[in-house]
């Protein structure tokens, strides 16, 4: 579910079920042409589909962080903490092209770096890996 689909009344009703917040991170640097930025957004959209589709009804996608900057980890930690205070039990960050160091974003429950995952596991197995990690997070 997208944040823009939520009203105050529906949030009160669905908060028990929507316990996981998804934060997309595009990782743009400002050096991308418009066509390259569009391609990056499309890759991120496709990566987000690995969670948004299968886990619809339990995951809410928030607005994306599009541009990377030096204090990115600190900003994401702060956002994760605030989202948890607002009612989310879990916060997951996903990036297709950017790089995020999970050790520096300790407030996130999961951080998925698609470009890094492609180097470590077969691309065809990424969907299963991501889904498995989400289910594992919910069990703990």
């Amino acid at each position: 579910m997208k944040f823009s689909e939520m009203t105050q009344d529906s949030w009160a009703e669905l908060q028990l079920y929507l316990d996981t917040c998804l934060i997309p991170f595009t990782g743009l640097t400002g050096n991308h042409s418009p066509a390259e930025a569009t391609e990056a957004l499309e890759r991120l959209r496709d990566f987000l589909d690995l969670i948004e589709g299968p886990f619809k009804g339990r995951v809410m996608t928030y607005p994306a962080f599009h541009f990377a900057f030096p204090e990115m980890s600190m900003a994401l930690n702060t956002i994760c903490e605030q989202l948890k205070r607002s009612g989310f039990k879990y916060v997951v960050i996903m990036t297709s092209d950017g790089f995020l160091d999970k050790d520096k974003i300790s407030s996130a429950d999961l951080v998925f770096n698609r470009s890094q995952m492609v180097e470590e596991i077969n691309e065809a197995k990424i969907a299963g890996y991501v889904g498995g990690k989400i289910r594992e997070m919910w069990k703990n």
Side-chain angles (χ1 to χ4, degrees):
M1 176 174 263
K2 307 275 189 220
F3 73 97
S4 58
E5 298 169 353
M6 186 64 57
T7 65
Q8 192 65 36
D9 291 337
S10 59
W11 174 240
E13 294 173 21
L14 297 174
Q15 189 172 4
L16 293 172
Y17 308 103
L18 292 167
D19 65 352
T20 305
C21 181
L22 181 59
I23 301 175
F25 174 63
T26 312
L28 298 175
T29 61
N31 295 325
H32 298 87
S33 71
E36 291 168 331
T38 298
E39 290 168 2
L41 288 166
E42 289 170 349
R43 283 189 295 275
L44 180 58
R45 175 204 59 210
D46 294 345
F47 191 42
L48 293 170
D49 284 346
L50 300 181
I51 292 179
E52 289 177 326
F55 303 112
K56 186 176 182 175
R58 186 155 181 191
V59 174
M60 175 165 294
T61 303
Y62 259 55
F65 276 80
H66 291 294
F67 290 93
F69 53 91
E71 300 84 21
M72 193 79 233
S73 297
M74 186 172 59
L76 286 170
N77 262 323
T78 301
I79 293 298
C80 291
E81 291 165 7
Q82 291 172 338
L83 288 167
K84 287 181 178 184
R85 279 195 296 272
S86 77
F88 288 102
K89 186 172 181 182
Y90 307 102
V91 179
V92 177
I93 302 171
M94 294 182 77
T95 183
S96 183
D97 296 337
F99 175 78
L100 296 170
D101 185 351
K102 168 59 178 147
D103 295 335
K104 292 183 179 179
I105 311 171
S106 58
S107 297
D109 295 285
L110 290 171
V111 176
F112 293 116
N113 289 294
R114 185 189 170 282
S115 56
Q116 183 180 9
M117 292 168 67
V118 168
E119 295 176 13
E120 297 172 4
I121 60 177
N122 183 316
E123 191 162 358
K125 295 181 180 181
I126 290 176
Y129 176 81
V130 168
K133 288 293 188 183
I134 293 288
R135 287 187 213 52
E136 187 179 305
M137 174 187 71
W138 286 336
K139 286 181 185 176
N140 294 328

